[in-house]
Amino acid sequence: MDVTARPEGADCRGVSEILSRVGDKWTIQVVVALRLGARRFNGLKREVGGISQQMLTRTLKVLERDGMIARTVHPSTPPQVEYTLTPLGHSLSETVRQLADWAAENRQNIEDHRLRYDADHA
Amino acid sequence: MDVTARPEGADCRGVSEILSRVGDKWTIQVVVALRLGARRFNGLKREVGGISQQMLTRTLKVLERDGMIARTVHPSTPPQVEYTLTPLGHSLSETVRQLADWAAENRQNIEDHRLRYDADHA
DNA sequence: CGGAATCCGAGCAGATACTG
DNA sequence: CAGTATCTGCTCGGATTCCG
C-alpha cells in the first residue's frame, strides 16, 4: 500500500503518533544504545546520559508495549533484566538513522539560517 | 558522562534537536500542507485542523528561522502573507515521508503488539 | 488579514524515598 | 539490581484580547 497515492490518509493520526515517538528526547537514545546489543537497566541508565530512572522505566515500557524492544528476566540474585531490540525495533532504528543522516548533513545549513534570522530580527 | 566523548557524539545534540522538530505535533502538518504549494496564514490555519493561531505563528516562525519555509509579504490592503517551502524544507519533507512510510507500514503491527501487551498486563 | 501579548490550566519531567 | 510511588515545579499549549 503506497502512502503517496492518497494525499491524506486515514491513518494520519497513527503516523503522527509514531513520529512523536521518534521525536521524543529519550526514546531514540535508548534505541540507539540498544543497537549495539543487549543492555541491562542500569547499563542503559549509564549509557544514556542524563536520564532519570523513572524516565528510563517509562521509555522502556512504552517501547516494549509497541514491540520495539524485548524484556527478558533472568531469575537470580541479584535479578538481571536484559533489554534487546526486536526486529521491528531494528527496522525503526534503520529508518531513524536515515533521518539522522539528513539532520547531520543539514545541521550546519540550518545553523547558518538561524544566525542570519537572529541577526535580522535583532 | 560526556556526550561528545562517544563516537558520532559531536552532532548528537543538533541531530536530536532536529528529530524533536520532526516529532512536533504541528511542524510536520504545516510542512505537509505546504508541500502542495504556497499558503497564506488563515489558509494554513484552516488546512491544519485544530491548530490555534498562536501555535501556527510559533511553528511558522521556527520553521522560517530554520530556513525551512520562506515568508513573503505582499503590501496591500488587506495584507497578504504567503508561506512557501524552501528547497531545504522540501528536502526535509522528503526525508520525513520515508519515515511516514515506515510508520504506515508498521502501524498495524505496532497496534497488535499494544493490544497483546495490554491484555497481558490487565 | 496577520499577527503579538497576556493569562491560565493540564500534563510531563525530575528528585526523592521506598520495595522485592 | 530493577524497579514503584509520590510530590512538585515548570513548560507547553489553548483561549482571549488587542494592534497595524
Side-chain angles (χ1 to χ4, degrees), chain A residues 4 46 65 91 98 102 118, chain B residues 65 91 97-98 102 118:
Chain A
T4 63
R46 256 172 270 119
R65 190 171 104 100
S91 166
Q98 295 189 4
W102 182 92
D118 291 347
Chain B
R65 191 171 104 99
S91 166
R97 204 172 58 76
Q98 295 188 4
W102 182 92
D118 291 346

Side-chain angles (χ1 to χ4, degrees), chain A residues 64-121:
Chain A
E64 188 198 355
R65 190 171 104 100
D66 288 1
M68 302 294 172
I69 63 177
R71 182 175 179 273
T72 313
V73 181
H74 300 278
S76 60
T77 49
Q80 296 196 356
V81 182
E82 266 194 358
Y83 293 93
T84 56
L85 234 50
T86 63
L88 185 61
H90 270 292
S91 166
L92 173 66
S93 82
E94 286 303 313
T95 309
V96 167
R97 206 170 57 77
Q98 295 189 4
L99 188 60
D101 285 348
W102 182 92
E105 279 175 27
N106 295 276
R107 206 181 62 83
Q108 191 58 52
N109 197 343
I110 292 171
E111 193 60 39
D112 293 345
H113 272 285
R114 284 186 194 162
L115 290 176
R116 163 164 266 210
Y117 182 95
D118 291 347
D120 290 350
H121 296 72

Side-chain angles (χ1 to χ4, degrees), chain A residues 29-39 44 47 83-85 90 93-94, chain B residues 6-8:
Chain A
Q29 295 193 52
V30 168
V31 169
V32 167
L34 285 175
R35 287 189 69 198
L36 305 171
R39 294 286 186 278
L44 279 172
E47 200 152 345
Y83 293 93
T84 56
L85 234 50
H90 270 292
S93 82
E94 286 303 313
Chain B
R6 303 207 311 263
E8 304 163 357

Side-chain angles (χ1 to χ4, degrees), chain A residues 16 19-24, chain B residues 18-26 28:
Chain A
S16 85
L19 290 190
S20 73
R21 289 265 199 288
V22 170
D24 181 70
Chain B
I18 293 179
L19 289 190
S20 72
R21 289 264 198 292
V22 170
D24 181 69
K25 184 180 176 184
W26 301 121
I28 294 305

